[in-house]
Amino acid sequence: MATTGLYSQHLDNKAVLHLRNTIVTIILVLLAVATLFPIVYMILSSFGPNVKTAGNMRSIFPSRWTLESYQAFFDFNEHTVRWIWNSVVVAVFTVLGNVVFASMAGYAFAKIRFKGSTFLFGLILVAMMIPYQVTQVPLYILVVKEFKMTNTYAAMILPSICTAYNIFLCKQFFSGLPTPLIESAKMEGCNQMQIFLKIVLPLSKTVLAVMAINTFMSSWNNFFWPFLVTSDPAMYTIQVGLKQFKFANETLFAPMMAGATLSALPMFILFFTLQKYFMEGVTIGAVKG
């Protein structure tokens, strides 16, 4: 009887666990559908007829499949291809700047003892806590009013050439590298630059990849700062260019969805090809070693 009671209790617990897992799965599926719906709707709308307002789209699926919205996007302005090129230039050089300068700064804070390093790193941590919007006004005055860099690549690249977060990320990773390895390299006659290039960087491919991916995504999707420092349509990035499809009384809906789909394409490629680095990026700044 005791054995039968234990067996029945085991079955009851198993049924409860199965029910709980089913409920959690249903909730996660619903949340995933709610999250993905705008993206799916954007892509489907881009393959629909060239309509001016979203109200003309009577269903989620287009009434007919066509590429005329993409044609309308490229015919809308002579600079549409240039917008994509500008986004590529800004994103690539921002990534290169962060990979070079943030990694060097992170290594210096992690493995080189110099006067004031703790204070300077504390300032970087404070900079991470300041909201992005707070810095825009003084940064705008500095870049536009003082340096006169309106409508230039430099205005869009230099403010993000080396971010506090990337320095912190590299510092945390480099702190986990074995110090005896670096000390032995010094005994062999290597200077700090040689140690950094020949020993540290080859061991840091993961953090560099994570930093490059996150920086590329942030730069590619940035709208506010390029919008502030550009007034020439030839210098717009794709995110700023998409705003031109919205007018006071109407919105060129389908061409805008086509442009939004094209602008999201690099993000889709990055995510599906580099999922491993995305997952590592969640914990790489918090777990040492």
Side-chain angles (χ1 to χ4, degrees):
M1 294 294 293
T3 304
T4 303
L6 291 175
Y7 181 71
S8 299
Q9 184 179 3
H10 173 72
L11 291 179
D12 292 340
N13 293 337
K14 188 175 182 180
V16 171
L17 182 61
H18 178 72
L19 178 61
R20 186 188 66 180
N21 292 340
T22 302
I23 294 174
V24 171
T25 302
I26 293 174
I27 294 175
L28 292 177
V29 169
L30 292 176
L31 291 175
V33 170
T35 302
L36 293 175
F37 177 77
I39 300 175
V40 174
Y41 182 69
M42 174 189 72
I43 297 174
L44 293 178
S45 299
S46 70
F47 288 101
N50 183 12
V51 297
K52 290 187 177 181
T53 61
N56 292 330
M57 299 290 291
R58 301 301 181 185
S59 63
I60 297 176
F61 295 94
S63 57
R64 59 186 176 88
W65 296 87
T66 176
L67 294 177
E68 64 183 38
S69 296
Y70 288 90
Q71 183 65 42
F73 169 76
F74 287 107
D75 292 341
F76 171 76
N77 190 297
E78 61 180 337
H79 301 301
T80 50
V81 176
R82 178 71 182 269
W83 295 344
I84 299 175
W85 172 249
N86 290 341
S87 291
V88 172
V89 171
V90 173
V92 168
F93 278 93
T94 301
V95 169
L96 290 177
N98 277 273
V99 168
V100 173
F101 298 121
S103 62
M104 294 175 68
Y107 171 72
F109 282 119
K111 295 299 181 182
I112 301 177
R113 296 291 175 261
F114 58 93
K115 188 175 181 179
S117 61
T118 303
F119 175 74
L120 290 176
F121 189 69
L123 290 180
I124 291 176
L125 294 180
V126 171
M128 290 176 57
M129 302 175 191
I130 299 175
Y132 174 77
Q133 293 79 5
V134 173
T135 63
Q136 297 309 289
V137 173
L139 192 59
Y140 177 83
I141 295 174
L142 182 65
V143 171
V144 176
K145 302 298 183 181
E146 299 296 331
F147 293 150
K148 310 295 183 183
M149 293 194 298
T150 309
N151 295 317
T152 62
Y153 288 126
M156 293 184 280
I157 295 172
L158 289 180
S160 302
I161 199 72
C162 184
T163 65
Y165 173 76
N166 284 334
I167 294 176
F168 170 77
L169 189 70
C170 290
K171 192 266 183 184
Q172 291 297 100
F173 182 85
F174 292 149
S175 295
L177 296 180
T179 302
L181 180 65
I182 296 175
E183 296 297 332
S184 62
K186 291 181 180 179
M187 295 179 63
E188 294 294 331
C190 295
N191 57 38
Q192 290 291 355
M193 184 58 66
Q194 291 174 326
I195 294 173
F196 177 72
L197 294 176
K198 296 181 179 179
I199 298 177
V200 175
L201 286 186
L203 297 175
S204 310
K205 294 179 181 178
T206 300
V207 68
L208 296 180
V210 170
M211 180 170 59
I213 294 168
N214 292 337
T215 303
F216 183 90
M217 291 181 60
S218 175
S219 177
W220 183 271
N221 292 324
N222 190 12
F223 166 81
F224 188 64
W225 180 249
F227 176 69
L228 284 180
V229 297
T230 57
S231 57
D232 182 2
M235 290 303 299
Y236 289 165
T237 61
I238 183 63
Q239 308 300 340
V240 178
L242 289 176
K243 184 180 180 297
Q244 307 308 306
F245 290 88
K246 183 176 178 61
F247 303 97
N249 299 320
E250 67 177 7
T251 299
L252 300 180
F253 179 72
M256 185 170 64
M257 291 298 101
T261 301
L262 291 175
S263 70
L265 190 60
M267 301 299 98
F268 294 152
I269 296 174
L270 276 176
F271 179 77
F272 287 111
T273 57
L274 302 172
Q275 294 183 61
K276 179 181 70 173
Y277 294 112
F278 275 101
M279 298 305 298
E280 291 179 356
V282 176
T283 58
I284 196 171
V287 180
K288 295 171 60 175

